[in-house]
């Protein structure tokens, strides 16, 4: 049918259609009301309590409780921060790539991947803040006017981290929320129908049901599913995905370039940017795969997240595991063949030193388990996919520990060699960040659709049943005296809707034509004329302007107005500001794309005459509506009704006059 992708075998249950997909996802949160959910939530809250106690001890005693020393000044906090960022980048890059390539199997994965990215980034964001020792003044790292006329030290990685994490959260949240808008409208309409059913059965609606309908209504911002809404929504999600891809590549490769800019041995292999990307992707895909298995099992969504989804994730982990193994092997051979004595010393310490366990964690948890996916039986086992995904994340932690701690603990000078060991408070902080991740995830399982209804419906079929949505049409007597907003016609198939648009568009009926439905309606949009696609240009322009402005601010502050350079570096060292400038540019582009989407669609608008169309809540389920809105003196509802009754291809299920 028009507006859908080509159905793909194995990616959706055979009996699933528009209505059943919507019901499966919107009713899924109710399935979490079990003892297992409460036990898991209590455990996550326990870890959060541990984090609170650790934070209190940290504020009393300072960051030295993490066993920081010189030269390991970053200790476990930077390892954990990089680990969470790696997971977030890998998950976001997975979703963005699937969206940009139009992969059909993104339907069961993209929402879970974006949620993983947001939660991991939130956990990572804790570290730069609490690392300050005085977290209540974290805003000092941001460039804002102050009474002492001081600028932040833009050459400091702490400022880069602050800009990067804010930009990452902004772009990631933008992509996640824009993708969620149509699903929130589905939740709003189902909650509204539930409230009406309760009122009909008991005489009044329950307060909680009404509150849910109102909350989802506000969050949906008045989304109506008009064809113009959908076209701009598609453009916005692709634009945000492109920005997310640029941001992730900049962050991961920029981190490796930042390490290469130091004099410490072991950080100068030219393959390091690729190694970073491959490792972060493996950990992000691993956590996403594990959560996909959890969501599939806990919410009973086996028909929407199928074995084929799991098998594809397993293949992806296998490919990334092989890529990571190639990078590690190349780095080892490179150090042995043409590295200097210091590089080879670092390599020996990584393989056989006091922290060699970190390297072997990479081998045992990240590189070996994925080899199971050479066998199809393991690729289709949810338990194996979940365990290997978690193992990949554990292996990724070993990678960050090895890269940072082993190198920092012993540079060129024997006098700089000091042993480092993890302390209880550092581990408690890490456990607390895991608790935050799990607690937010469990709350998300209970309140939000974890599988995209829209993306799943795009390659499903609507299964037309030839019946109207159930509400009777108003009689002529009821509408004779009332001023009319327009005339609506209900269809159960997008192709018939598009045929009706083509038949009526050429006629002068004194009406503005719009269509509404639960998925993008490409046929109707082609007939109506798609809206001008200026949104990507606006986002691209904002990204360029934002990045250039940030770079100019850094150069002015550090080279002219507040020169503070103790390292003897060039006064206008623009390379140091490149990554945060790119990050800030993508943030500006992402915010512009989201705001342009809302502005062009005239959202938020919580009330609209289209909501008065009888049965319009079905527009977010499995019905398509054609609205002919009065737009001039030639508007004649009787003539429009006659035209609808004589359509050459498919008649509407119901024609209704819609009061203003």
């Amino acid at each position: 049918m028009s507006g859908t992708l080509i159905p793909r075998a194995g990616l959706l249950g055979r009996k699933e259609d528009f209505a059943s997909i919507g019901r499966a996802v919107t009713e899924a949160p109710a399935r979490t009301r079990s003892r297992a959910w409460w036990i898991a939530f209590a455990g996550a809250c326990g870890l959060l309590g541990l984090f609170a106690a650790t934070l209190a001890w940290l504020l009393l005693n300072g960051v030295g409780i993490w066993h920081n020393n010189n030269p390991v000044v970053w200790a476990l906090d930077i390892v954990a921060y990089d680990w969470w960022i790696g997971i977030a980048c890998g998950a976001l890059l997975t979703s963005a790539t699937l969206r940009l390539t139009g992969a059909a199997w993104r339907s069961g994965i993209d929402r879970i991947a974006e949620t993983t990215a947001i939660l991991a980034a939130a956990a990572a964001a804790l570290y730069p803040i609490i690392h300050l020792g005085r977290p209540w003044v974290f805003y000092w790292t941001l460039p804002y006017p102050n009474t002492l006329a001081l600028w932040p030290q833009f050459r400091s990685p702490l400022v880069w981290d602050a800009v990067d994490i804010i930009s990452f959260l902004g772009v990631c949240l933008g992509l996640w929320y824009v993708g969620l808008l149509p699903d929130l409208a589905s939740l709003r309409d189902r909650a509204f129908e539930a409230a009406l059913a309760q009122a009909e059965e008991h005489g009044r609606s329950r307060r909680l049901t009404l509150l849910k309908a109102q909350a989802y209504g506000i969050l949906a911002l008045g989304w109506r599913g008009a064809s113009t809404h959908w076209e701009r929504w598609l453009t916005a999600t692709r634009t945000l995905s492109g920005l997310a891809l640029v941001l992730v590549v900049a962050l991961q490769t920029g981190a490796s370039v930042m390490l290469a800019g130091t004099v410490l041995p072991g950080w100068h292999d030219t393959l390091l940017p690729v190694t970073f990307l491959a490792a972060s992707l493996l950990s992000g895909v691993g956590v996403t795969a594990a959560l996909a298995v959890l969501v599939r099992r806990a919410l009973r969504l086996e028909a929407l997240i199928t074995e084929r989804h799991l098998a594809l994730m397993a293949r992806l982990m296998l490919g990334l595991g092989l890529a990571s193994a190639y990078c590690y092997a190349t780095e080892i051979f490179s150090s042995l063949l043409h590295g200097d004595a210091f590089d080879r010393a670092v390599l020996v310490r990584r393989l056989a030193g006091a922290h060699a366990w970190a390297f072997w964690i990479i081998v045992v948890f990240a590189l070996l388990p994925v080899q199971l996916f050479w066998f199809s039986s393991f690729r289709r086992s949810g338990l194996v996919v979940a365990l290997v995904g978690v193992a990949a994340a554990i292996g990724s932690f070993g990678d960050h520990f090895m890269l940072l701690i082993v190198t920092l603990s012993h540079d060129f000078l024997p006098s700089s060699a000091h042993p480092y060991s993890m302390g209880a408070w550092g581990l408690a902080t890490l456990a607390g960040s895991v608790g935050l991740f799990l607690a937010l995830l469990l709350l998300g399982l209970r309140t939000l659709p974890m599988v995209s209804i829209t993306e799943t419906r795009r390659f499903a079929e609507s299964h037309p049943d030839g019946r109207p949505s159930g509400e009777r049409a108003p009689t002529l007597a009821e509408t004779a005296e009332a001023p009319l907003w327009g005339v609506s016609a209900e269809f159960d198939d997008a192709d018939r809707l598009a045929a009706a648009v083509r038949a009526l568009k050429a006629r002068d009926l004194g009406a503005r034509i719009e269509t509404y439905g639960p998925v993008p309606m490409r046929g109707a949009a082609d007939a109506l004329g798609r809206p001008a696609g200026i949104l990507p240009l606006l986002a691209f322009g904002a990204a360029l302007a934002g990045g250039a402005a940030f770079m100019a601010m850094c150069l002015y502050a550090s080279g002219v107005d507040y020169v503070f350079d103790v390292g003897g570096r060039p006064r206008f060292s623009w390379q140091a500001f490149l990554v945060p400038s790119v990050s800030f540019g993508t943030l500006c582009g992402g915010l512009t794309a989201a705001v342009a989407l809302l502005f062009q669609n005239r959202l938020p608008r919580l009330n609209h005459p289209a909501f008065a169309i009888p049965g319009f809540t079905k527009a977010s389920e499995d019905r398509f509506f054609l609205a002919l809105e009065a737009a001039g003196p030639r508007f004649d509802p009787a003539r429009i009704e006659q035209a609808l009754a004589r359509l050459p291809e498919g008649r509407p299920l119901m024609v209704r006059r819609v009061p203003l």
Side-chain angles (χ1 to χ4, degrees):
M1 65 178 294
S2 176
T4 63
L5 304 179
I6 300 174
R8 303 298 176 94
L11 292 175
L12 190 64
R14 292 183 178 179
K15 296 181 180 178
E16 299 299 324
D17 57 18
F18 281 17
S20 67
I21 292 170
R23 284 196 301 272
V25 178
T26 55
E27 296 173 3
R31 300 178 194 125
T32 61
R33 294 167 188 164
S34 63
R35 182 180 298 177
W37 186 91
W38 282 108
I39 292 174
F41 190 66
C45 289
L47 291 176
L48 275 179
L50 176 64
F51 177 74
T54 305
L55 182 60
W57 191 246
L58 171 76
L59 296 180
L60 286 173
N61 295 277
V63 295
I65 66 170
W66 288 331
H67 285 196
N68 304 35
N69 64 22
N70 191 3
V72 189
V73 293
W74 294 341
L76 198 62
D77 54 327
I78 191 66
V79 176
Y81 170 76
D82 280 354
W83 179 61
W84 280 119
I85 282 291
I87 292 173
C89 286
L92 183 59
L93 187 58
T94 302
S95 174
T97 305
L98 293 178
R99 284 183 183 275
L100 288 173
T101 57
W105 63 284
R106 71 182 184 274
S107 59
I109 301 300
D110 58 355
R111 180 69 48 73
I112 298 173
E114 290 158 14
T115 304
T116 300
I118 293 172
L119 300 185
L126 293 174
Y127 281 93
I129 295 175
I130 62 177
H131 180 270
L132 297 173
R134 290 175 291 172
W136 50 90
V137 292
F138 75 94
Y139 58 90
W140 284 9
T141 61
L142 304 177
Y144 73 101
N146 64 73
T147 56
L148 299 178
L150 297 177
W151 289 92
Q153 177 51 277
F154 287 113
R155 290 191 175 95
S156 167
L158 186 61
V159 176
W160 303 346
D161 287 343
V163 175
D164 290 344
I165 198 73
I166 290 173
S167 302
F168 187 93
L169 280 170
V171 173
C172 194
L173 278 170
L175 178 60
W176 177 79
Y177 187 67
V178 168
L180 192 62
L181 265 180
D183 291 357
L184 288 171
S186 291
L187 292 172
R188 173 200 64 199
D189 293 341
R190 301 294 82 76
F192 182 67
E193 289 174 348
L196 288 180
Q198 289 173 1
E200 187 173 340
E201 183 177 356
H202 304 292
R204 64 185 180 89
S205 303
R206 293 178 181 172
R207 186 174 182 79
L208 180 60
T209 306
L210 281 176
L211 286 175
K212 282 176 62 178
Q214 291 167 350
Y216 286 131
I218 293 172
L219 292 173
L221 303 180
W223 178 270
R224 302 183 294 280
S227 60
T228 49
H229 283 194
W230 282 117
E231 292 303 308
R232 292 179 181 125
W233 180 83
L234 289 171
T235 305
T237 52
R238 282 195 293 266
T239 303
L240 285 164
S241 298
L243 292 168
L245 191 146
V246 171
L247 176 61
V248 169
V249 172
L251 289 183
Q252 289 300 311
T253 58
S256 63
V257 172
M258 180 181 70
L259 295 181
T262 68
V263 296
L264 293 174
W267 286 354
H268 300 100
D269 195 293
T270 53
L271 200 61
L272 206 56
V274 181
T275 307
F276 271 37
L277 264 179
S280 71
L281 262 174
L282 178 57
S283 60
V285 172
V287 174
T288 301
L291 292 186
V293 173
L294 171 67
V295 169
R296 180 175 187 259
R297 179 69 181 273
L299 303 185
R300 301 172 201 166
L301 295 176
E302 290 85 355
L304 307 187
I305 304 174
T306 65
E307 287 186 351
R308 182 165 168 74
H309 285 100
L310 302 184
L312 289 166
M313 294 289 285
R315 287 178 186 273
L316 190 54
M317 280 194 279
L318 175 60
L320 292 168
L322 292 175
S324 292
Y326 170 80
C327 291
Y328 289 124
T330 303
E331 191 176 352
I332 290 173
F333 283 120
S334 175
S335 297
L336 291 174
L337 290 176
H338 51 77
D340 58 24
F342 300 100
D343 275 338
R344 288 196 290 273
V346 170
L347 177 62
V348 169
R349 287 200 300 277
R350 286 179 178 177
L351 301 185
H355 296 126
W357 58 265
F359 173 78
W360 296 109
I361 276 183
I362 300 172
V363 175
V364 173
F365 284 89
L367 302 184
L368 291 182
V370 295
Q371 307 306 320
L372 292 173
F373 295 142
W374 288 104
F375 306 98
S376 61
S377 58
F378 289 120
R379 291 198 298 268
R380 295 185 178 278
S381 169
L383 179 62
V384 174
V385 170
L387 291 176
V388 172
V390 173
I394 295 173
S396 173
F397 188 85
D399 173 67
H400 290 286
F401 189 96
M402 178 192 74
L403 186 75
L404 295 170
I405 301 298
V406 174
T407 299
L408 286 173
S409 60
H410 193 160
D411 58 18
F412 295 100
L413 300 175
S415 60
S416 297
H418 292 289
Y420 168 79
S421 62
M422 289 185 289
W425 290 109
L427 291 171
T429 308
L430 175 61
S433 65
V434 174
L436 175 68
F437 181 92
L438 293 176
L440 294 176
L441 173 67
L442 290 167
L443 290 175
L445 287 176
R446 193 145 187 173
T447 54
L448 295 172
M450 295 300 290
V451 172
S452 172
I453 301 173
T454 301
E455 295 292 357
T456 308
R457 280 175 175 161
R458 289 187 66 195
F459 63 94
E461 296 179 355
S462 64
H463 291 173
D465 57 11
R467 294 179 299 178
S469 58
E471 295 190 28
R472 69 173 180 83
T475 63
L476 288 177
E478 290 173 336
T479 59
E481 300 299 328
L484 289 182
W485 172 71
V487 176
S488 73
E490 179 182 343
F491 297 83
D492 59 0
D493 184 89
D495 289 338
R496 296 192 183 98
L497 173 74
V501 172
R502 287 192 293 270
L504 298 178
K505 188 171 184 298
R507 301 181 61 174
D508 182 12
L509 298 173
R512 174 181 172 274
I513 300 177
E514 184 56 281
T515 59
Y516 303 92
V519 292
M521 297 158 285
R522 187 51 54 89
D526 288 338
L528 290 173
R530 297 183 186 178
I534 62 170
L535 190 146
L537 293 177
L538 292 174
F540 183 66
L544 282 181
F550 192 88
M551 173 66 79
M553 179 180 65
C554 293
L555 291 174
Y556 172 75
S558 60
V560 178
D561 193 54
Y562 185 58
V563 181
F564 183 72
D565 186 2
V566 296
R569 287 159 289 194
R571 190 164 182 171
F572 294 99
S573 180
W574 60 270
Q575 296 90 342
F577 313 130
L578 191 57
V579 172
S581 298
V582 172
S583 299
F584 189 75
T586 58
L587 175 63
C588 294
L591 292 177
T592 301
V595 171
L597 170 71
L598 298 180
F599 179 78
Q600 290 183 320
N601 284 335
R602 304 292 189 269
L603 298 176
R605 183 175 178 178
L606 303 186
N607 191 17
H608 188 276
F611 289 125
I613 296 174
F616 190 73
T617 55
K618 296 296 181 184
S620 63
E621 189 169 281
D622 61 351
R623 290 293 187 270
F624 298 86
F625 289 87
L626 170 64
L628 296 104
E629 180 183 351
R634 291 183 58 78
F635 178 76
D636 182 351
R639 192 159 66 98
I640 292 174
E641 290 167 344
Q642 289 177 1
L644 288 169
R646 295 171 184 168
L647 288 173
E649 298 179 44
R651 306 291 169 76
L653 303 176
M654 181 77 75
V655 176
R656 301 173 173 97
R657 296 187 180 189
V658 184
L660 187 63

